[in-house]
Amino acid sequence: MWLDLINIIDMPGSRKAFECELDVAALDFPSVEEFKSAPKAKGEVVNTAGLITLVGEIEAEMICVCDRCGKQFESTKIQEVELTLADNPEDEENPDIYVIEGNGINVSEILETSFILDMETKFLCTEDCKGLCGICGKDLNEGPCNCSKPIDPRLAVLGQLLDIE
């Protein structure tokens, strides 16, 4: 979504609201099975004494796969956004500043980038997910498995000392 900022760039105290949906195809994450609907963003661009800032919120409802146990679960991500915009091409070097192109910005593109950078590195169904047994593959959230844990080969000799027959 293109947002024209011609009336904001040179007018301190001015603001312009926006509301858009992000492109799901641009938001590809291995642990996100699907988005229940396109992530929605809303907010405004504000000129405060010459500093132009994009402030808003992105909300996404997703169906994810747990990185530990492999179960599907629903997750809602609400991301608060506050990004600095600049119309000076010299600011392109700074990764924390988004450059205004001509008289506007592509809000969707900027917010998609921000959403990607803020995404979790691990998706867990619960904070205390125990995952799967590395031997039998049982879901340890449902209870312990009956596998005997392998003995560290470095300690195998000590185990022979305890074998009294």
Side-chain angles (χ1 to χ4, degrees), residues 69-90:
C69 68
K71 285 185 183 174
Q72 280 191 350
F73 66 98
E74 291 185 11
S75 176
T76 300
K77 177 179 175 59
I78 299 175
Q79 176 189 350
E80 298 294 325
V81 179
E82 185 169 340
L83 306 170
T84 303
L85 306 175
D87 59 351
N88 189 346
E90 293 174 4

Side-chain angles (χ1 to χ4, degrees), residues 63-118:
I63 298 176
C64 305
V65 176
C66 181
D67 286 330
R68 287 189 188 154
C69 68
K71 285 185 183 174
Q72 280 191 350
F73 66 98
E74 291 185 11
S75 176
T76 300
K77 177 179 175 59
I78 299 175
Q79 176 189 350
E80 298 294 325
V81 179
E82 185 169 340
L83 306 170
T84 303
L85 306 175
D87 59 351
N88 189 346
E90 293 174 4
D91 293 326
E92 280 186 43
E93 302 286 326
N94 188 338
D96 295 328
I97 295 177
Y98 293 86
V99 177
I100 297 170
E101 302 167 16
N103 292 325
I105 56 171
N106 185 336
V107 175
S108 302
E109 187 177 291
I110 290 172
L111 292 174
E112 287 163 4
T113 300
S114 176
F115 187 77
I116 289 168
L117 293 174
D118 191 61

